[in-house]
Amino acid sequence: MRSKSSLLLFQMLLIAASLSFASLACAQQRPLITEDVDIIPPGSMRLEVGVDFMQNAKFPVSGLTGDLTRAGVIGVNIGLAPNVEIQIEGVAQNFLSINSRGPSAIPLTLAPGANSTSDFGDFTLWTKIKLRKETAHLPSVGFRFGVQLPNSNQGTGIGLNQTNAFGQILVGKKFGHNARVNTFGNLGIGILTAPTRLFTQNDVVTYGLASIVRINKQFNIAGEVNGRANTRPGSGPLGTESQGEARLGMQIRASGLRFDFAGIKGLTSRSPRSGITVGVTYDTPSIFKPAQ
């Protein structure tokens, strides 16, 4: 049943991605994963798709390490009102080229000599609320909460098939002539189910600090540090360890779309060593009457 529901969700996202005609909105995010406070125009949609390539990705629960390709990194944002946005984020398919296999804490469906594995990614549903606008001296403030759904199959060794909950405070401030520099940050909590311990969770601290610098009408430079910090003694329950990464890249506007790319550097022992991401973002015009 899980695979059928995952396929249905992916088909719905592909249908949404077939909408056409773009218009630029104020919130700009890919290739970053830190959330901007700004809301896309009410009544419009933002459609994002990308591909990530990660070197030396680690999966402590299954004991696998290898090079990970995340094909179809999908984001769908819908502006419901001037201060409310809903979001769907996830990965259509993960492919892992296995470099090494250690002891697994869970049963795997992989053949003993398998050198690769793949799986559908977990999707997360978010609601973002902008609580106050930016002023000359004070930043804008928002709140974002979400739930990660158990779409993956833990037997493949990539996903954990767990339900997790998140809440974040969002802060943003623009600087320079015509708000040339957009700086924003997130701080929150993630309630992660421990995949190998019954009735156990780990409440991790989530964080992000990002900046987008406008070079001209076509080019932006974007960078960030983003991750989560374990709050338990030691490294925490298996599968909930601290993770973090830094991203530095560029956004390029052309043909009514916004293309992006970035280099990725892991910041913890459990993070991928390095990687790259490429993608494209499309903003629709108003397609429905928003709430007032």
Side-chain angles (χ1 to χ4, degrees), residues 70-139:
R70 305 170 71 217
V73 182
I74 297 170
V76 178
N77 298 1
I78 303 173
L80 291 186
N83 66 329
V84 180
E85 180 180 318
I86 62 172
Q87 306 167 339
I88 304 172
E89 297 177 352
V91 182
Q93 196 72 24
N94 288 309
F95 300 92
L96 180 68
S97 176
I98 300 173
N99 294 335
S100 65
R101 295 181 65 166
S104 176
I106 58 174
L108 300 180
T109 57
L110 303 179
N115 57 13
S116 65
T117 182
S118 62
D119 190 19
F120 196 87
D122 293 323
F123 274 73
T124 305
L125 307 180
W126 295 94
T127 298
K128 181 170 71 171
I129 303 172
K130 189 171 185 177
L131 300 176
R132 59 160 291 158
K133 295 181 180 180
E134 178 181 346
T135 66
H137 302 289
L138 296 175

Side-chain angles (χ1 to χ4, degrees), residues 246-264:
R247 295 190 176 203
L248 180 62
M250 181 167 284
Q251 300 172 334
I252 305 169
R253 294 189 181 94
S255 303
L257 302 172
R258 189 174 71 244
F259 301 91
D260 64 79
F261 64 90
I264 303 171

